[in-house]
Amino acid sequence: AWGVSAWTFDGQTCTFYTEVSRTYPKAGAVSGGDLVVPREQHLWPNWPASSPVVTAVGATEFSGAVGSEEVAVSNFGSGGGFSTMFPAPDYQKLAVQEYLQSQQGKLPPEGSFAPGGRATPDISLLGDDYVVVLNGAVTPGIGGTSASAPAFAAMVSLLNAARLADKKPPLGFLNPLLYQNQQAFTDITQGNDKVGRMGEPLQYGYDCTKGWDPVTGLGT
């Protein structure tokens, strides 16, 4: 890392300067990393959530007091996006296409994401300001999709337990059922995921909108 950005690049050779008061060129060296040849922007989704056989869970937060309108979580990114490894499965193609069409002109730069890829998340759940009790010690203010995902899994377990008690089979693979019943969810239309893991702002990302989106999925 240089204290001063002083370099030139003609496409083949990087000429760099180590001192502003007494500069000198060094030909034949390539240095500077992304400053020399800026790498293309890519918005990578989280793995293994981007697997088409996994239910991906994003995170929301209350916009104010507990019980107020839910919005996309703002303390950390919700981790959604489009896979470059797997194409969009049939169960979500229509919902994703509606999103892409509605966001023309608002999406990240072309080439930075794969619009035909498996899209995540599928749904979301509150993922911030959890209170964790461990060995009697209370820790407030815990958050993450590592909070919203197991909370959703617990809900599914309760549903399966109720079905088994009624001599019905478990729900099985959820994703087709989720997309066939979008009206069961609270649509989240406020917020975005232009937030890094530690809360730092990011240049590119996605916005919440009506219907499925790559920030909160189908909603909560």
Side-chain angles (χ1 to χ4, degrees), residues 23-39:
T23 62
Y24 63 91
K26 182 181 175 74
V30 176
S31 177
D34 293 348
L35 291 176
V36 176
V37 184
R39 84 178 61 167

Side-chain angles (χ1 to χ4, degrees), residues 179-199:
Y179 285 88
Q180 290 165 11
N181 295 276
Q182 296 186 37
Q183 74 283 355
F185 298 91
T186 299
D187 194 6
I188 308 300
T189 59
Q190 300 296 319
N192 60 67
D193 68 350
K194 300 170 187 176
V195 186
R197 183 181 294 271
M198 304 305 295

